[in-house]
């Protein structure tokens, strides 16, 4: 399925994708391939360096990049059917295939990505190749090593695993302490919007939210009602059983989510 922002749009590239969008996404994908570093961190660095990009531009670039990463095996097959190694396909070609799949590869983007004029037609033809005739990396978007392990599972199990890997995962949030009324109001908002959510065992202030709504844009998030933190990190903080008289040094802090969680428990700096 193409990125959401590519659907129901006119054919002009300026409507959705601009030259800077696709070139930056391709640049990040190439760097992630050659350095084996996390693509989200590479993207974050490039976005910091391009402060002129607006919020909409950043969302478009992020969506295009992660769509290309998620379906990289399939996209590389569409672009180069004879290439049995999806990692050998240049990042710009992967991005071009993602755009062509969504019907968004016009002349401006073709020139920017340096692909042939008939590239979109080639993609359309390759999309007609039946799934059973495609190599494993194109069907399952996996490396050769992972495919070898994957092949040990029964066929039905493989299908379920593959579907789970391609689904967008849920988001875990942690409510701040002492705010019961706003929490109730926020849960009622989720119900009204028909956004599925459920409690998380052992974490009374946690909630698991499905369909991945854009929670960071919500007023409640900006006002500090909740943080986005996976259940594993929340469980760690709970199991530490930190007491108010303890002094805590978080020696592997990233964004500081666990530090904040612990500080709330002890009411002291971490």
């Amino acid at each position: 399925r193409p990125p959401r922002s590519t659907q129901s749009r006119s054919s002009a590239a300026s409507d959705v994708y601009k030259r800077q969008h696709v070139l930056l996404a391709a640049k990040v994908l190439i760097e992630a391939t050659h350095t084996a570093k996390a693509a989200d961190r590479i993207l974050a660095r490039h976005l910091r360096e391009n402060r002129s990009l607006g919020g909409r531009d950043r969302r478009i670039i992020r969506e295009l990049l992660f769509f290309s990463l998620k379906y990289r095996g399939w996209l590389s097959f569409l672009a180069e059917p004879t290439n049995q190694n999806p990692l050998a396909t240049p990042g710009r070609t992967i991005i071009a295939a993602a755009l062509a799949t969504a019907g968004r590869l016009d002349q401006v983007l073709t020139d920017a990505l340096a692909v042939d004029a008939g590239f979109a037609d080639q993609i359309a033809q390759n999309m007609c190749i039946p799934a059973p005739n495609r190599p494993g990396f194109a069907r399952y978007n996996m490396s050769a090593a992972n495919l070898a392990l994957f092949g040990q599972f029964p066929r039905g199990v493989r299908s379920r695993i593959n579907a789970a890997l391609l689904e967008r995962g849920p988001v875990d949030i942690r409510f701040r302490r002492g705010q019961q009324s706003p929490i109730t109001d926020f849960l009622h908002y989720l119900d009204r919007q028909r956004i599925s959510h459920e409690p998380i065992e052992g974490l009374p202030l946690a909630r698991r939210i499905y369909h991945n709504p854009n929670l960071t844009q919500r007023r409640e998030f900006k006002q500090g009602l909740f943080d986005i933190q996976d259940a594993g990190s929340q469980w760690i903080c709970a199991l530490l059983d930190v007491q108010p008289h303890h002094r805590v040094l978080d020696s592997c802090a990233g964004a500081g989510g666990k530090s904040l969680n612990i500080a709330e428990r002890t009411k002291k700096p971490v």
Side-chain angles (χ1 to χ4, degrees), residues 169-175 183 186-187 190-191 194-211 213 215 229 231 234-235:
V171 174
D172 297 337
I173 65 173
R174 179 181 63 84
F175 290 109
I183 291 174
F186 182 70
L187 295 179
L190 295 177
D191 292 334
R194 298 183 179 180
I195 298 174
S196 300
H197 60 93
E198 63 183 11
I200 300 176
E201 183 180 359
L203 299 171
L205 291 176
R207 210 77 183 175
R208 177 158 291 163
I209 300 177
Y210 295 89
H211 310 307
L215 295 174
Q229 186 176 47
Q234 296 186 53
W235 275 317

Side-chain angles (χ1 to χ4, degrees), residues 5 32 48 65 143 212 241-242:
S5 61
R48 286 196 300 271
L65 172 65
S143 66
N212 204 5
D241 193 26
V242 178

